[in-house]
Amino acid sequence: MKKDIHPGNYRVVAFKDMSNEDVFLTKSTANTSETLEVDGVEYPLIKMEISRTSHPFYTGKSKLIDTAGRIDKFKNKYAKFKKVI
């Protein structure tokens, strides 16, 4: 293996799922200026919008989120291809 190609700043980091407030600890090299105290120990904090505890694939709960009427736009765009019986 080549020498000095891997980062040397691995440390334990707290990852927080902002959708359900779940926190888990793992090693990472990601940079952050925020910290979070977990069990009396302060860790660097990485905020996430989705994780294994909130992703529909892992939870089995799917949510339909229609932002800015995307479904209506799709239906209008492809209405001309609708088959007439």
Side-chain angles (χ1 to χ4, degrees), residues 8 27 42 59 61:
K27 288 188 174 183
E42 195 165 305
T59 62
K61 300 175 185 174

Side-chain angles (χ1 to χ4, degrees), residues 14-24 45-54:
F15 285 86
K16 183 175 184 179
D17 186 337
M18 301 308 291
S19 65
N20 63 3
E21 304 297 318
D22 182 53
V23 176
F24 61 94
L45 173 66
I46 304 290
K47 293 180 180 177
M48 304 181 309
E49 291 188 27
I50 195 163
S51 73
R52 69 191 187 320
T53 60
S54 63

Side-chain angles (χ1 to χ4, degrees), residues 18-83:
M18 301 308 291
S19 65
N20 63 3
E21 304 297 318
D22 182 53
V23 176
F24 61 94
L25 301 174
T26 190
K27 288 188 174 183
S28 177
T29 61
N31 293 326
T32 182
S33 59
E34 297 181 78
T35 60
L36 178 70
E37 189 172 316
V38 178
D39 298 329
V41 180
E42 195 165 305
Y43 296 102
L45 173 66
I46 304 290
K47 293 180 180 177
M48 304 181 309
E49 291 188 27
I50 195 163
S51 73
R52 69 191 187 320
T53 60
S54 63
H55 193 281
F57 179 79
Y58 297 108
T59 62
K61 300 175 185 174
S62 64
K63 292 191 272 185
L64 178 62
I65 301 172
D66 182 20
T67 56
R70 283 194 247 169
I71 294 172
D72 291 331
K73 287 179 186 177
F74 178 84
K75 287 180 180 177
N76 291 336
K77 182 177 181 179
Y78 292 101
K80 61 185 172 186
F81 297 112
K82 191 175 186 179
K83 290 184 179 182

